[in-house]
Structure formats: structure tokens, C-alpha cells
Amino acid sequence: MAGALALVTGLTAPAQAGVTPAQAGVTPAPAVVSPSSGAPVSAANGAPVSAANDAPAVYGRAAYLMDAASGEVLFDKDGTERMPVASLTKTMTAYLVLRTAKPTDVVRIRPEDVAYAEDGGGTTADLRPGDRLTVGELLYGLMLPSGADAAHALARTYGPGVEGFVAKMNATARSLGMNDTHYVNADGLPTPGGDGYSTARDQAVLAAKALQVPLIKEVAGTRRHDLDATDEHRSYGWRNTNRLLGTPGAIGLKTGFTRAAGYCLAFAGESDGRVLVGVLLDESVSSRRFSTAEALLSWGSARQSA
């Protein structure tokens, strides 16, 4: 295969090592699903869905793979089915913040930002009340360890107020053509009033748009980010939860998990100047989402190069 994305075409999914569907709190999807066979059909955006019988096994409930530039749909398994997307929500948070704020703008962390993440049982960037961090620094805390505290601080600041920010998230989703998406917060945590929802297709559209923002692409592709202590904040060290990084050609984007959403992944890879973006939703085994994404990127790249 030509190009930097020299992945193993046809990679099969590993055994369910370490985590069972029951332990994950989700129901496993059917074992193997390929995209539509026969004549190509039209996707929601009018682009053709390629026919293929040799696609990798996909175990998650929904999956979508497309060319980021042309919108050509290469793989679609229930891509328009609405479901929770967990922390993939934070991609919209990052995208929306950077439409308003400068990376050098400073945000002061408040006790309610920290309490929100801790009380909600979300992953955190371990932010400290009183610390002052730039928007650019907070994006690493948002995207790498998937900090709900960072999401709350950014939404509170740039709504203004979390409710105002969420309203802007939904308006932005409509403007991007994400018509099957509804956000209820800036982080994807469950709420007493119900979870938000999206689709694999809508999240792929968002991924393609977000990766056009240089800082988001840089942050999402960073495996570890460290901040030395200053007069403004303590030291921080954040490691990316995306285990796809390090694979040749992989460029991000975001992991997610809740009991309702299962294990989710928005991913992207670049080969011969082309960028493919994809989304996996409601996978029952954490590690398998990364091997599946790797296989889909390899398969999609090979199809385009053929």
C-alpha cells in the first residue's frame, strides 16, 4: 500500500481480553457487519456509499468512515442511528470554544468546575481551583485525559454560562448539518434529565470539520502534554487516552465511554495527502475500538489507492 498509513489491511478484531460486555455495562452488538453490498446507494449528504464485501469486522453498534475532503462514504453501519456519544461531545466543545476564544485567553478555574467533574463521576484533568490556564492549555486537559472539569470551565466562561454554551453547541451542530445531534452538556456525562445523542455520521462530519482547526489537530494528535508550574498554576501532566496514536498515519481524535454509550472513538488517519475520518459507537470492549479503527483506516486507504 502506498502512503504513510501503512496499516494491516483486513486486521481482525482481538478476543475480548480483560473486559466483558457485562463488566462494561453494555449489550454486545452483532458479531460482524460489512457495509452494503451490490449497487452503491446515496448517503445522507448525497455522497455514494462504496459497495464492499471485504471490509473488516466491526463489533460496535454503529460505525462510519468517510473521506474528510470529498465526503465520500466508505463504510456505514447504522451511521444515522441516534445514540449517546459520551466524551466525543468534547470535540464540539473544543471546536466551539476556538470559534470565540483565542488560545492565549486565560480562564480561572473555579471550585464548581472541579466539583462538577467529581460529583458527576467523570474523568478529570485534575484541575485546581484558583489556577489560571490559557485556553490552549485547557484544550490539552479537555482532549487528552478527557477532563470534564476542563469542559465545565470552558463552557462556563464562553457561554457565558454552561446553559448558554450548550445552546450554542446545538446551534453549531445544526449549522454543520448535524441534524440528528442534541447536546445536553459540554462533556457527554449522563444527566438526570437524560443523555444527549448523536450519530456516527454526525460525529464524523464534526471530526472532519474540527481537524481543519490546526490547534485541535495538534492537541488531538499529542500523546502526552506537560505543563511546568508557574505563578499562575501548578504543574500538570496529561496523557492521551487514544491508543490509536503512534500508528503510522493516525492523527487523533477522541475517545469516550459511559455505561449507556459503551466505548466510543472518533478517529482519523492520513495517507497520500488524503484524510479519512471515522467513528465507532457502543463497542463493548475498550481495546477493540482501536484495532477496529486501525483496520478500517487501512482498508479505506487501500480502497482509495486501488
Side-chain angles (χ1 to χ4, degrees):
M1 183 198 315
L5 195 62
L7 310 179
V8 182
T9 304
L11 180 68
T12 57
Q16 297 184 16
V19 181
T20 67
Q23 290 171 333
V26 294
T27 302
V32 180
V33 175
S34 295
S36 57
S37 58
V41 298
S42 294
N45 61 359
V49 177
S50 299
N53 293 312
D54 61 341
V58 172
Y59 293 77
R61 183 175 161 196
Y64 202 81
L65 182 73
M66 74 179 197
D67 184 290
S70 69
E72 178 189 4
V73 181
L74 302 173
F75 188 100
D76 183 356
K77 175 190 174 183
D78 293 329
T80 58
E81 184 175 348
R82 294 178 175 182
M83 59 188 76
V85 296
S87 287
L88 301 196
T89 298
K90 297 183 177 87
T91 301
M92 176 61 86
T93 299
Y95 177 73
L96 181 54
V97 165
L98 289 179
R99 293 182 65 178
T100 304
K102 298 177 181 177
T104 54
D105 289 349
V106 175
V107 175
R108 185 181 184 91
I109 306 304
R110 294 181 180 175
E112 57 261 40
D113 302 323
V114 176
Y116 170 82
E118 292 178 347
D119 294 346
T123 51
T124 79
D126 198 24
L127 300 178
R128 297 286 184 87
D131 278 4
R132 294 168 56 87
L133 295 147
T134 66
V135 166
E137 291 164 345
L138 275 176
L139 287 182
Y140 284 96
L142 175 76
M143 299 294 283
L144 273 61
S146 200
D149 45 1
H152 192 273
L154 289 166
R156 171 182 55 77
T157 303
Y158 292 103
V162 174
E163 288 188 7
F165 189 85
V166 172
K168 290 180 181 178
M169 292 172 71
N170 286 313
T172 302
R174 298 291 88 74
S175 73
L176 296 177
M178 298 167 60
N179 296 319
D180 291 302
T181 296
H182 177 69
Y183 295 110
V184 297
N185 53 32
D187 46 75
L189 286 173
T191 72
D195 295 348
Y197 59 80
S198 188
T199 67
R201 181 264 178 196
D202 279 9
Q203 289 300 302
V205 168
L206 174 61
K209 195 70 174 179
L211 286 171
Q212 293 176 10
V213 182
L215 182 55
I216 292 179
K217 184 177 180 181
E218 176 184 336
V219 169
T222 299
R223 300 176 75 175
R224 181 178 175 88
H225 186 74
D226 295 295
L227 287 177
D228 293 332
T230 70
D231 292 339
E232 298 293 313
H233 58 76
R234 74 174 184 107
S235 62
Y236 289 97
W238 296 310
R239 187 180 300 277
N240 204 320
T241 57
N242 186 357
R243 290 168 50 188
L244 188 64
L245 295 179
T247 302
I251 53 177
L253 175 65
K254 188 71 190 73
T255 61
F257 173 77
T258 63
R259 291 181 65 87
Y263 293 101
C264 303
L265 180 67
F267 58 94
E270 189 168 11
S271 175
D272 293 331
R274 291 191 296 265
V275 175
L276 302 184
V277 296
V279 173
L280 297 168
L281 299 179
D282 201 0
E283 165 63 82
S284 60
V285 181
S286 177
S287 61
R288 192 165 57 193
R289 57 185 159 167
F290 304 111
S291 58
T292 300
E294 181 179 347
L296 282 171
L297 287 172
S298 178
W299 173 80
S301 178
R303 287 180 60 79
Q304 288 195 320
S305 299

